[in-house]
Amino acid sequence: DVKVTQSSRYLVKRTGEKVFLECVQDMDHENMFWYRQDPGLGLRLIYFSYDVKMKEKGDIPEGYSVSREKKERFSLILESASTNQTSMYLCATRQVPKGLFFGSGTQRCFL
Amino acid sequence: GQQLNQSPQSMFIQEGEDVSMNCTSSSIFNTWLWYKQDPGEGPVLLIALYKAGELTSNGRLTAQFGITRKDSFLNISASIPSDVGIYFCAGRMNYGGSQGNLIFGKGTKLSVKP
């Protein structure tokens, strides 16, 4: 079975802090994704990566950056956390030709 | 950007009832996927569809890829309390490769009364 592990299930941070969200997968998948999920807005793609060192902007990349130094790890970075970044963050990997496999999510709250 | 229309937004049903939900798009998709999300967890893939007209079952769940390639439905038969959750449809316009990321519907929230 595919395993996608996200660091921290719940996190409360102060606005202005730099925040790292880590995601690790154990299936050697090339494609990895970061989404945020908000009530009424569904899942929105922030960034994705097709391979190590590669990254592409999704639909809502503003305020975020990513890092993919190793194939199994995809990090989402909030340079200066803001209250409108309070959300559920979901990491996923892709197994072609099947769909995305998600981690359990990280619920972040910025005060 | 591209959007999927998923309906209904929410459903309140009695245990044992059948459930039906669907997604429609203005564009043609090559792949349709159905996910379920339990509270506090990430979405889990239930069924994947790759061909127009394809009908696939997974236990009490059945999903179909519409003939027009612009829609898909999910049926749940004889619902039970553990069916509670949010069901998402997702579609992809390009098959395989690096292009063609998934587009998600906004979800159908299912509540089941025992």
Side-chain angles (χ1 to χ4, degrees):
Chain A
D1 282 351
V2 176
K3 190 163 183 184
V4 182
T5 304
Q6 292 182 230
S7 58
S8 307
R9 288 299 303 275
Y10 300 96
L11 201 61
V12 179
K13 291 285 189 182
R14 294 204 176 274
T15 56
E17 286 190 37
K18 189 169 185 175
V19 180
F20 293 85
L21 284 72
E22 302 287 342
C23 176
V24 178
Q25 52 110 349
D26 65 354
M27 288 300 293
D28 204 36
H29 291 173
E30 291 184 348
N31 300 347
M32 296 188 75
F33 304 79
W34 274 107
Y35 288 85
R36 64 177 283 176
Q37 184 177 26
D38 302 289
L41 297 176
L43 286 152
R44 294 182 291 169
L45 182 62
I46 304 171
Y47 265 96
F48 57 101
S49 169
Y50 296 133
D51 205 345
V52 176
K53 305 281 187 184
M54 292 182 66
K55 58 186 179 184
E56 296 280 347
K57 292 180 180 179
D59 299 320
I60 51 164
E62 296 77 19
Y64 303 94
S65 62
V66 290
S67 173
R68 184 105 181 261
E69 295 296 320
K70 293 183 180 180
K71 193 173 188 179
E72 68 270 19
R73 188 180 296 270
F74 192 34
S75 304
L76 180 68
I77 303 156
L78 287 67
E79 295 291 338
S80 179
S82 63
T83 54
N84 63 11
Q85 291 177 312
T86 292
S87 185
M88 166 77 109
Y89 289 88
L90 289 161
C91 174
T93 71
R94 182 176 161 190
Q95 181 182 27
V96 179
K98 294 187 177 180
L100 295 177
F101 291 88
F102 286 89
S104 294
T106 299
Q107 184 69 51
R108 301 219 167 220
C109 180
F110 297 105
L111 304 176
Chain B
Q2 180 64 240
Q3 289 191 340
L4 290 182
N5 296 312
Q6 184 172 350
S7 65
Q9 280 189 322
S10 61
M11 303 180 75
F12 295 86
I13 62 168
Q14 203 74 35
E15 183 177 358
E17 283 185 28
D18 296 342
V19 172
S20 185
M21 60 192 78
N22 68 82
C23 270
T24 60
S25 167
S26 56
S27 298
I28 290 174
F29 283 172
N30 287 328
T31 302
W32 281 99
L33 305 165
W34 285 92
Y35 288 85
K36 182 194 176 197
Q37 185 176 26
D38 291 326
E41 299 292 331
V44 174
L45 182 64
L46 298 173
I47 293 178
L49 303 159
Y50 303 108
K51 286 190 247 185
E54 181 179 355
L55 184 72
T56 297
S57 292
N58 178 5
R60 294 178 295 107
L61 277 62
T62 303
Q64 184 159 30
F65 193 140
I67 291 290
T68 65
R69 294 166 67 189
K70 292 183 178 182
D71 62 341
S72 178
F73 72 74
L74 175 71
N75 286 343
I76 305 173
S77 63
S79 59
I80 59 178
S82 63
D83 289 334
V84 163
I86 302 177
Y87 292 80
F88 291 97
C89 64
R92 180 180 295 121
M93 286 187 275
N94 300 310
Y95 179 80
S98 300
Q99 300 302 318
N101 288 322
L102 282 179
I103 300 163
F104 283 86
K106 293 197 173 155
T108 296
K109 186 174 182 180
L110 180 63
S111 301
V112 180
K113 288 183 278 188

